[in-house]
Every structure is written in structure tokens, then in C-alpha cells.
Amino acid sequence: MLIGGTALLLGGGGLAAYATTALAGNNTPDTMSGHQQHTASAITISCPDVGERLRTVPRSAQLSVSKGLSSLDKQVHDAYHKMMGGSGADVLNPLKAQRQKTIKMMVSAIAKNTKRPSYLLKMSGCTTKPVDEGAGAGGTDSTKSVQDGWYQGQNQTQGADQNQDQNQQDQNQQGQDQQGQQGQDQQGQQGGQQGQAGGPSPDDFVDINNVQPNADAPPFAAPQGGNASTGTFTTECGRNEDGHFNSDNVIVTPGVSNGAHHTHDYVGNKATDAFANDNKLAASDTTCDNGDQSTHYWPVLRKLDGNAEQKPGAAQDANVGTTLTPATVTLTFRGSQVGQVEAMPRFMKIITGDAKAFTNGTKNANASWSCTGFEDRQLKDKYPLCPEGSQVVRTFAFQNCWNGQDIDSGNHRDHVTFSDQNGACPQGFKAIPQLVQRITYDVPQGQSFAVDSFPEQLHKPVTDHGDFINVMPDQLMSKAVDCINGGRNCT
């Protein structure tokens, strides 16, 4: 329900309309619609993603970089809430000054033991982004076929970096000028899309019956043909019945509590938190069968019932609602379309999808939403409205090619990538078992659920993502590879 509209003074004197609203955690639910009784802001804050541009992070700089990345997220978090609070204060200029200081600290820490990444210093400036604007680079097409490059196009990262540098410089130069025009354009729109404060919007949902089949290629079509490795290995790790939750991110921001600013749902390794190093993971108990100590995690899904837990990762970070326990969790490793796969090294870390895809664009996005009985229809930037008796399905098909050397990389992406549409890995990469995390939920009918997110990402479905740390004992990984390459289905 729309309450009203006002204007916010941003850096440079620009005005941006937004809906007057209470902050998350101070709302009353609209039980008829499943949403809170206020609207999402007409704009959000969009900042260059420093973490995505990291290349080499020496061990001596890892904690400083981790703290820096967490600080950058906290700065955007605070600026977004200040904007939503309607103080009328300059938001973007102070945010830029904070980011400059933090990025300089990170650059100095990295430069002590490797080449100085001066290009990061150009990434302090932020802009605003209309909430009704798509994620970009394919994000507005919710039924995009995987054949059109949503997955296979993700391995084209290196060539895009130079263009991204120039785009970021242009964005920083133009951002202040654009703010005034955005404010003038958006005034009178009465806050844009209606829904829960900070998202999601009704426009983020679509009836699955209105979606055409589009999942007729990898990663949803299993490897097949004479050269394919057609076996599978499925590991059973439960549904997080033990209630293992935290708002840490041990891959991206190790050593920092609440590094994710949203709550993660875990299965597998019981020791996983921000402070779990490889030795701690290797010594931990697990919820998985066969002694598999691997870590699997993803953002929780919440029922939009107004339940506001006042703790980090929940209402304190604009994630409001009751956490939904998965109905099922299936973790399956599959083969390659073009040949055999090789074993993953122990402690390899893989992130698939992008928690900031709404503002970053869809280069690294890998969300897939569907309904049971309709999984030939996959949605990338929409939540599915499923018919009665059908469950919501989240699917994460992970990168299936490895550079053969590194178990991680500076941005946690460059050491792995996706095969092309024919299943071939790029030069210098080799095929590894492809992890597919499939999670189902029983949700109330209607626009009643949303994934946890950074506040400024507005709970957009395109921001969904999965994380994995391989802590299989070597013998178990060898068994998995043998099963996959031998065409057997094993557990």
C-alpha cells in the first residue's frame, strides 16, 4: 500500500523521489498481499564492486582486504538506510569519501607483497539506480534461454575488464550529474513499485504457467552422447535440520563477522563460519554421508510475514520475515559433455551467481528459479508463482572448468569458469565434476517470499547465489570421479 512520497537531497544537490516508509523491522504485515504496508524506494545505491575486480591478494593482505570489503558493504548499507530514512542529507559524497579511504587501505595492504592495484582507486564513486530498471546485460529477460549465453557467456570475463574500467570511470564522472535528472524524472512516480520496503516488488514475480520452456541445454540438460561422462554422484547432507545459520561469508570475507549482511543457510560442514580455516573444516563433524566434510551454503528464503529478528543478517540488515526450511536439498555432481572429468582439489572454493547482480549487471549472475513439475522453465530475474501443490525450486549449477592450479583466486571467480555451449572448457582449463545444488520449498500462495540480500539489492531474485567448499576426503572424491566417468549413478 502506498503511503506517500517525498524527496531526498543527494550529493551534488540532486533530488530523488522515494516512498515514505518505516525501516525494515518496524512494519506491520499486509496479510492480504503477503507484503509489508509500504513501498520500495524509487532508487537504490549502485557502487562499483571492488571485490569482483581483485586479482591477486597475498596471504599477508587477506585479512585487511576482507575487513575492507566488509567495510565497503557496511558503508553502502548505512548510506542506503540514511537515504531511506529521509534525513535530507547528502548521501553519495560522504559515501565516496568513506570508500576512498577504505580502498586506499586495501590497495596499500596488497602492494606490500605484489604489484599495486591502482585501478581499484577509481572505484570509489557511486551512483543511484532506479528500482524498476532491470539488472542489465540480459537481466530484464526473465525467460532467457540458457542457449543465449546466460551461463556459457560467463567465462568471457578477462576481455571485459578493460571495458569495465572505462565504464567505471564514466560512471564516476557522470554519476553526480545524473542524480539531479533522476530526481526530476522520478518525482511524481509515487515511489515506483509497491511491495515490501527495500523489496521485493510485485513486478519481481511471474506465474510459472506463463513461462515458455527454456531449459533445453546445459546446465539443466544432463551430459549425453558418445563422448560424454554421463554418471552422477549424489551426496546426502540433510536440510539444515540443526539450524546452522549465520551472516558470515567465509569465502569472500574470512575473519569478519556479518560479512554477508544477509543470513546463510548451511548443510555439510558444521564448523563453517567466518573464522573456519581449512584445518578447522578438516577437523569438523558434518551432516553429510560418507564422511563428506564439504560446505554448502546459500542465502535463506524468507516468508514475508513481518517477523523482524533484531540481529545481524536479519532485520538489522533489512531482511525481514520467517526463515523457511527447505523441503528437500539435493547435491549432485555431474560429468562433461565432451569427455571425462578430473578430481577437484580439496579445499577448492567456488561461488556461483552474484549477490550484487542487480547493481553489478548479470555478467556473473547464475540464479535459476522454477516450480516442481515445471523445471523445463527456468527464471533468472523473477520469482515463480507456483500452482497449488507445486514447490518453489532454486537451482545452482556451478562452474565446471578449473584452471588446474588454484583452489581460489583474488575475486573467487577466475580459477573456475563455465564450459561453452558444446561442453568444452576454454584453453588452459580442464573439466571437473559440476555441482548442482537443488533446493525446494513449500511457500504460501502468492507473492509471499523473498531471498535474503544486501539491503541495496532489494531482494531481487537475480541476486541469488550458491557457495561451495570441497572438503571431500581424496578417496571420496576419487569415487565420485570414477562413478561420473564410468556412467554410474552413485551415492
Side-chain angles (χ1 to χ4, degrees):
M1 177 183 302
L2 183 65
I3 294 178
T6 186
L8 173 69
L9 183 64
L10 296 176
L15 291 174
Y18 76 102
T20 55
T21 176
L23 290 179
N26 298 307
N27 315 309
T28 56
D30 179 348
T31 55
M32 294 297 292
S33 65
H35 290 276
Q36 308 294 339
Q37 292 188 0
H38 38 56
T39 70
S41 63
I43 58 173
T44 190
I45 295 175
S46 177
C47 300
D49 189 346
V50 174
E52 199 276 330
R53 296 302 319 285
L54 291 171
R55 291 296 174 261
T56 301
V57 179
R59 182 177 296 272
S60 61
Q62 286 179 353
L63 184 57
S64 294
V65 169
S66 182
K67 290 180 177 179
L69 291 173
S70 183
S71 293
L72 292 173
D73 289 334
K74 181 65 163 55
Q75 290 157 12
V76 176
H77 168 282
D78 291 346
Y80 175 77
H81 278 284
K82 187 175 183 181
M83 185 175 78
M84 288 292 290
S87 67
D90 179 344
V91 172
L92 293 190
N93 281 330
L95 177 58
K96 180 177 181 179
Q98 289 179 316
R99 286 172 58 86
Q100 282 179 330
K101 182 178 180 180
T102 301
I103 294 171
K104 284 180 181 179
M105 178 276 293
M106 296 169 62
V107 168
S108 296
I110 293 171
K112 290 180 180 178
N113 287 286
T114 191
K115 183 179 178 181
R116 183 179 179 85
S118 298
Y119 61 91
L120 297 178
L121 299 173
K122 303 173 184 177
M123 302 179 70
S124 60
C126 301
T127 63
T128 56
K129 175 185 174 72
V131 301
D132 57 356
E133 184 177 289
T140 56
D141 186 354
S142 64
T143 60
K144 191 177 183 73
S145 170
V146 292
Q147 292 181 332
D148 294 332
W150 183 280
Y151 292 91
Q152 288 78 10
Q154 292 184 75
N155 59 11
Q156 308 297 324
T157 57
Q158 302 295 334
D161 284 341
Q162 292 181 346
N163 290 335
Q164 185 175 359
D165 279 338
Q166 184 61 50
N167 290 340
Q168 287 163 353
Q169 292 181 53
D170 293 343
Q171 180 187 50
N172 292 343
Q173 292 168 358
Q174 296 172 6
Q176 301 295 333
D177 294 337
Q178 290 175 344
Q179 291 163 23
Q181 184 62 45
Q182 285 178 345
Q184 295 170 16
D185 291 344
Q186 290 168 4
Q187 289 186 44
Q189 291 182 0
Q190 297 183 329
Q193 306 165 11
Q194 298 183 30
Q196 175 167 295
S201 160
D203 288 344
D204 291 327
F205 294 83
V206 66
D207 187 336
I208 196 68
N209 288 293
N210 296 332
V211 179
Q212 295 299 312
N214 61 354
D216 53 354
F220 294 99
Q224 55 186 326
N227 295 323
S229 44
T230 58
T232 63
F233 183 83
T234 300
T235 184
E236 173 58 52
C237 298
R239 302 179 293 115
N240 194 15
E241 292 92 339
D242 295 338
H244 184 180
F245 302 103
N246 60 53
S247 56
D248 301 341
N249 193 333
V250 68
I251 296 179
V252 177
T253 51
V256 178
S257 295
N258 195 35
H261 293 278
H262 52 265
T263 300
H264 281 131
D265 199 352
Y266 293 85
V267 299
N269 199 291
K270 291 186 175 182
T272 310
D273 61 16
F275 307 97
N277 58 25
D278 291 349
N279 291 334
K280 186 176 180 180
L281 295 175
S284 174
D285 197 1
T286 179
T287 68
C288 301
D289 292 343
N290 299 316
D292 182 0
Q293 297 166 289
S294 297
T295 291
H296 300 261
Y297 61 104
W298 44 80
V300 299
L301 201 68
R302 293 185 189 268
K303 179 169 62 174
L304 301 181
D305 57 5
N307 181 25
E309 297 179 272
Q310 294 299 328
K311 62 182 183 180
Q316 292 180 13
D317 289 299
N319 292 299
V320 174
T322 300
T323 298
L324 292 168
T325 300
T328 64
V329 174
T330 306
L331 308 170
T332 301
F333 293 87
R334 300 193 308 197
S336 166
Q337 185 69 27
V338 297
Q340 295 193 338
V341 297
E342 297 188 17
M344 291 183 183
R346 202 173 194 211
F347 304 116
M348 172 182 274
K349 299 169 178 66
I350 310 179
I351 298 171
T352 201
D354 184 359
K356 300 176 183 176
F358 181 61
T359 55
N360 282 350
T362 60
K363 183 180 74 168
N364 292 313
N366 195 10
S368 288
W369 297 87
S370 190
C371 303
T372 55
F374 298 84
E375 289 178 74
D376 60 342
R377 311 171 192 195
Q378 295 291 328
L379 297 163
K380 307 306 178 186
D381 65 339
K382 301 289 184 184
Y383 293 118
L385 295 174
C386 303
E388 187 173 357
S390 175
Q391 296 171 324
V392 168
V393 185
R394 300 162 75 184
T395 303
F396 303 111
F398 279 66
Q399 294 89 319
N400 57 347
C401 300
W402 171 49
N403 68 7
Q405 301 178 15
D406 305 307
I407 61 172
D408 200 0
S409 49
N411 63 359
H412 314 292
R413 297 186 186 277
D414 289 346
H415 62 300
V416 289
T417 190
F418 288 90
S419 61
D420 64 20
Q421 294 183 15
N422 298 315
C425 291
Q427 185 174 1
F429 286 76
K430 55 183 66 177
I432 55 174
Q434 182 178 42
L435 170 63
V436 180
Q437 297 172 339
R438 179 181 177 273
I439 311 131
T440 69
Y441 298 86
D442 293 307
V443 303
Q445 288 290 296
Q447 301 166 4
S448 62
F449 64 94
V451 69
D452 264 21
S453 76
F454 290 98
E456 77 283 357
Q457 298 300 313
L458 307 175
H459 304 281
K460 295 292 185 181
V462 73
T463 65
D464 204 9
H465 54 284
D467 300 77
F468 170 64
I469 304 175
N470 173 43
V471 199
M472 278 190 185
D474 291 341
Q475 185 175 1
L476 184 60
M477 174 57 71
S478 295
K479 175 185 175 182
V481 169
D482 289 344
C483 287
I484 292 167
N485 289 337
R488 305 190 307 275
N489 297 320
C490 305
T491 56

